[in-house]
Amino acid sequence: MSNEPSSDLRVFTLPVEGEPIASEDDAIDLIGSAWSHDAKTAAVPVERLDPAFFDLSTGLAGAFTQKLVTYRVRLAIVGDLTEYIEASRALSDYVWESNRGSQVWFVRDEDELERKLAATG
């Protein structure tokens, strides 16, 4: 038996430093990176997301997350969302609803992500 985590639990994590994620094309790049690492979950630090992501009226969050869901890559947004959630009831509701599911999660840190992954089986 291998000590490698199963691909269901393997996570591709973007570094905090790098170009901001600001388009659907960035979602395609993220999917490719996750697949190339045999991961079914992509973790994106809050700092890497363009502020437009958190303004639901731009449609970026919906288009971005839908692309990952379509290609069966779970998305975990990792970090402190307090300032965004306090500024938008719609975003707060979106985060709450997403966290009830299994494809898009908003988590405070890597430990919370690990707990959610372990709970999914």
Side-chain angles (χ1 to χ4, degrees):
M1 184 158 211
S2 171
N3 287 336
E4 286 288 312
S6 77
S7 63
D8 287 345
L9 298 178
R10 191 170 295 135
V11 177
F12 172 75
T13 303
L14 278 180
V16 172
E17 302 81 24
E19 291 295 314
I21 291 177
S23 72
E24 280 186 71
D25 288 342
D26 294 332
I28 298 296
D29 292 344
L30 183 59
I31 292 164
S33 295
W35 285 354
S36 72
H37 288 85
D38 197 28
K40 299 239 171 115
T41 301
V44 177
V46 167
E47 296 87 353
R48 286 292 297 275
L49 295 168
D50 187 284
F53 184 92
F54 301 103
D55 178 356
L56 297 184
S57 69
T58 67
L60 178 58
F64 187 86
T65 58
Q66 185 58 50
K67 193 70 71 180
L68 274 86
V69 168
T70 298
Y71 288 93
R72 297 185 179 159
V73 175
R74 176 184 293 121
L75 174 63
I77 306 297
V78 182
D80 184 6
L81 296 170
T82 305
E83 74 176 273
Y84 298 109
I85 290 173
E86 287 177 352
S88 170
R89 174 62 188 226
L91 180 63
S92 177
D93 291 345
Y94 179 71
V95 168
W96 182 82
E97 193 65 39
S98 294
N99 282 340
R100 293 182 62 211
S102 62
Q103 291 302 304
V104 179
W105 294 333
F106 293 83
V107 296
R108 284 181 297 281
D109 53 35
E110 297 287 333
D111 290 338
E112 185 178 356
L113 176 56
E114 286 181 28
R115 287 190 301 274
K116 285 186 81 74
L117 285 168
T120 64

